[in-house]
Structures are given as C-alpha cells and as structure tokens.
Amino acid sequence: MAENKRDYYEVLGVEKGASAEQIKKAYRKSAMKYHPDRNPGDKEAEEKFKEVGEAYEVLSDDDKRARYDQYGFAGVDPNFGAGAGGYGGGFGGFGDFGDFGDIFGEFFGGGRSRGSSANAPRRGENVMSRLELTFEEAAFGVEKEVAVPRVENCAACSGSGSADGVVETCSNCRGTGQVRTVQNFMGMQMQSTAACPRCNGKGKVIKTPCNTCKGKGKVRRTQKIKVKVPAGVDEGQSVRVRAEGNVGSNGGPNGDLLVEIYIKRHAIFSRQYMDVLCEVPISFTQAALGAQIQVPTLDGQVTYDLPEGTQTGTTFTLFGKGIPEVGNSRRRGNQRFTVVVETPTKLTKEQKDLLRQLDGTLEETPKRKKFFDTIKDIFD
C-alpha cells in the first residue's frame, strides 16, 4: 500500500505533532492551490489535490491518525490487522512478542467482534470539498458544481473486482474473513482471531482480477456534483450533500459530500452574523444640514433621510435589509451603515474665507467646551 506514497504529514506540510487546527489550515491552503477549478486540465494538480484530500481524510480523524502514527500506511489500510476497532498487528510496548497483542485483545474483548462479518454492509466514508462564493451568492443562495475526487465502484467489473465476474467464497475462512489460532501462553491455551491470510480478510477470492481496478472493485474518479447552497450560509460552514461521498462496501450506503464554504471579500459590505455592515461617506454640508442620501444594500440602493447635525461615526440601521436566516429566508437580519464625514481638501481662497466667516458665527459645541475646560483644569 505504501509504494510511491509520500508521508501524509509531508503532503500537508505540517509537523507530526501538529494540532487539528494546523492540519485543517494546511489542508485548506493546499486544496485551494491544487483545486481542479483553478487548474483546469492540469493532471499533476489533480493528482496533488487527490493526495492532499487523502492525507487530510486520515489526519483529520483521531482514530485513523493514531493508527497511521503507530503503524504507517498499513494502519489505515482497510485490510489492516483485525479490522476497524481492533488493535491490528501490534500492542503498544509488546511488539517483540509477535501476536501477544492479538491474544490480549481477544481475551479482553478487543479486536474484531465475534459476531462481525467480512461481508457485512459498510457505509462509505464522507469526502470533503470546498466552494468559494461571492457575498451575494452566500446571502441569497445559489446552485454550483464542484469537482469531487471520490471512490466509486469500478464500471469495468461492476464493483466485483473480477474480470470474468467470478467471485468465490474463501475456502480457508469459509467466507468469514477471519481465522482463529490457538497459542500456549504461560501454560494456558488462548485463542486469537486475525484476518484470513488467503483472502486478506475479505472472505472472497478473485482468481482473475479486473485490469482496471486491479481486483479492488473500486476506483477513484473526479465527478462534478451539483450543490444547492442555502441562503444565509456563512464562511466556514459546510453544506452536506447526501450519498455523494465514497461508495459503500457490500451494499452499504454511500458516504456524504461535505462542502466547506468560503466567501470572497466584498468591495463595500462586510458581515456580522445576519447583519450587513458598510460605511457611507458624506460631505460636511450633508452632515451639518441633513440630506437625503443613497445607501447601497443587497437589494439595491435605498434613500435615507439623514438628520441635520450628524456626527462622523454615527451608525444608522435599515431593518430587514441584512442576511436571510438559513432555512427561513423570509426572516432577515438588518443593515447597519456608518457615516464618515469627509473633510474637504484643496479649497479655493474664496471657499476658505467663507468657512472662516462661518466658523466665527458658530457657537462652541458642548463637547469642545468640556474638552478645553478639562485641559484648563489640568494645567492651571
């Protein structure tokens, strides 16, 4: 299994002791770099995207990561040891005793359960992808296509793994995928259960493997999947598409596709939960005298009556002009816009004289009076 594979930590460019957040951040960066949508027709980028996805699939799962750290690629092989939930081929600290770990796993109830079957239906694993949206697409919802590398049944052999369609029950384990051995330990006979070496724990034997999938019955393909993004979705949230993940085994259901959402920076708007935020520049005259101003919203421009004497930094609210609630698009947040008074520059001499005349007629504002009175008290 490990042939031609790079270490998963090396693939993501992180240290072995990296935190879950560091692994996720590294995955996002690499997935964005090699995503098929950004590298159309680039086979090398597509392979790297698959490699990054495979590495993240293992390192983001605590159980798989622990097995990978202890046993390498063999630890995350579906045919590894006694199967999911078992100790596999080792028992921490007792590696020199061969099957010692398997014996104690069986004795204390570890390893594959006695009632489990190699041919039992198993659900396919979930796969992850990412989707970048505009601010408006995230606000109002959209349908997009994403390129998803996933495991599917081999079309050449209909998922059987056999070139001629003939799959036989393993005579060594009689289809159970397990064999029992009896070992003497300290004068006691103890039984252990392990994967059948003839069929590698599958319970079936293929004499003529399919050339396309090499007898595995599954292949990795990149498919374009339509994703309906609901209105109101936010950065970092995921949209689940049922049954569009990896194919299940032995008739088990497919896994799901989890699409993580990224939102492009908007030129005017930003977001805080369901509220839309923006700044609106106004002139000194508009602030002093009041005015009707045009305010941009997600629904287009609206007219707002600005009161006279408006100070820079004042925030006003447009109710119901924010982001729709996920699952209930009739309920929306608000839009809050903050006015910023722009000081005029490059004034003519005449304009400056007029402003000086105006300033001489204005009463001192309460805020300025309080400020200078405080200064006077401090220094006198």
Side-chain angles (χ1 to χ4, degrees):
M1 177 181 177
E3 290 184 8
N4 301 323
K5 278 184 178 287
R6 288 198 298 153
D7 175 70
Y8 288 146
Y9 291 101
E10 179 186 341
V11 169
L12 294 181
V14 297
E15 298 294 330
K16 190 171 182 179
S19 66
E21 185 60 33
Q22 288 173 322
I23 288 173
K24 187 174 184 179
K25 185 177 180 180
Y27 165 70
R28 286 179 176 176
K29 182 179 178 182
S30 297
M32 182 183 296
K33 180 178 179 181
Y34 298 118
H35 198 280
D37 288 348
R38 293 197 169 192
N39 304 274
D42 189 336
K43 293 295 183 184
E44 184 179 353
E46 183 177 342
E47 289 303 314
K48 286 186 178 293
F49 183 73
K50 293 177 183 178
E51 185 182 41
V52 166
E54 181 180 327
Y56 182 69
E57 186 178 320
V58 171
L59 299 185
S60 63
D61 184 296
D62 291 341
D63 179 58
K64 290 181 182 178
R65 182 179 179 181
R67 284 189 275 126
Y68 176 72
D69 287 345
Q70 187 170 4
Y71 304 111
F73 292 107
V76 290
D77 189 318
N79 300 319
F80 172 63
Y87 291 111
F91 188 79
F94 295 95
D96 295 336
F97 286 85
D99 292 330
F100 194 84
D102 288 340
I103 296 170
F104 270 73
E106 180 71 12
F107 187 78
F108 290 109
R112 187 191 291 262
S113 66
R114 296 175 182 242
S116 65
S117 169
N119 300 318
R122 289 193 296 275
R123 183 181 183 274
E125 293 183 337
N126 295 338
V127 296
M128 293 188 66
S129 186
R130 66 179 302 279
L131 181 60
E132 191 171 54
L133 304 176
T134 65
F135 195 91
E136 290 83 359
E137 286 172 338
F140 295 120
V142 69
E143 183 172 278
K144 292 272 192 176
E145 276 192 343
V146 294
V148 181
R150 64 182 185 182
V151 176
E152 301 179 347
N153 281 328
C154 175
C157 64
S158 300
S160 69
S162 173
D164 54 12
V166 177
V167 180
E168 298 179 353
T169 299
C170 177
S171 59
N172 190 46
C173 65
R174 298 182 180 180
T176 65
Q178 305 173 50
V179 291
R180 293 185 181 277
T181 58
V182 179
Q183 297 185 19
N184 290 315
F185 178 72
M186 297 182 181
M188 296 184 294
Q189 282 192 337
M190 304 184 72
Q191 289 187 356
S192 63
T193 304
C196 174
R198 183 166 185 263
C199 64
N200 294 321
K202 297 179 180 178
K204 297 177 181 179
V205 177
I206 297 171
K207 290 187 176 180
T208 310
C210 170
N211 289 327
T212 302
C213 64
K214 311 303 179 187
K216 295 180 180 178
K218 294 180 174 61
V219 292
R220 185 174 286 273
R221 293 275 187 268
T222 298
Q223 299 287 1
K224 290 204 170 183
I225 308 297
K226 286 186 178 180
V227 179
K228 290 184 178 180
V229 180
V233 69
D234 203 354
E235 175 92 11
Q237 292 181 337
S238 292
V239 177
R240 182 183 294 269
V241 186
R242 300 287 181 185
E244 291 293 356
N246 289 342
V247 68
S249 299
N250 303 320
N254 291 357
D256 298 334
L257 166 63
L258 303 176
V259 182
E260 191 167 9
I261 300 300
Y262 292 78
I263 301 176
K264 296 177 184 177
R265 186 183 295 275
H266 197 277
I268 297 174
F269 301 127
S270 61
R271 175 173 175 171
Q272 188 175 63
Y273 304 108
M274 289 172 60
D275 286 353
V276 173
L277 314 178
C278 74
E279 286 188 349
V280 177
I282 60 174
S283 69
F284 169 77
T285 304
Q286 288 174 317
L289 303 180
Q292 283 192 335
I293 61 172
Q294 296 298 306
V295 180
T297 74
L298 289 173
D299 303 305
Q301 292 198 93
V302 299
T303 301
Y304 191 84
D305 289 324
L306 195 71
E308 65 178 53
T310 296
Q311 302 297 310
T312 189
T314 304
T315 297
F316 300 92
T317 301
L318 298 173
F319 295 98
K321 290 294 183 181
I323 304 292
E325 181 180 48
V326 176
N328 182 14
S329 58
R330 290 178 296 180
R331 183 173 183 268
R332 295 178 60 173
N334 303 319
Q335 176 168 328
R336 290 179 278 137
F337 69 93
T338 302
V339 295
V340 179
V341 179
E342 290 190 314
T343 303
T345 58
K346 298 181 181 179
L347 298 173
T348 65
K349 182 178 182 302
E350 182 182 1
Q351 289 170 330
K352 291 178 182 179
D353 290 341
L354 288 172
L355 283 176
R356 289 190 185 99
Q357 292 176 30
L358 173 65
D359 187 57
T361 64
L362 296 176
E363 294 182 0
E364 191 171 36
T365 64
K367 184 179 287 188
R368 290 177 60 192
K369 184 176 185 307
K370 181 180 180 181
F371 175 79
F372 288 111
D373 285 347
T374 302
I375 294 294
K376 184 177 179 180
D377 290 341
I378 292 174
F379 292 101
D380 283 351

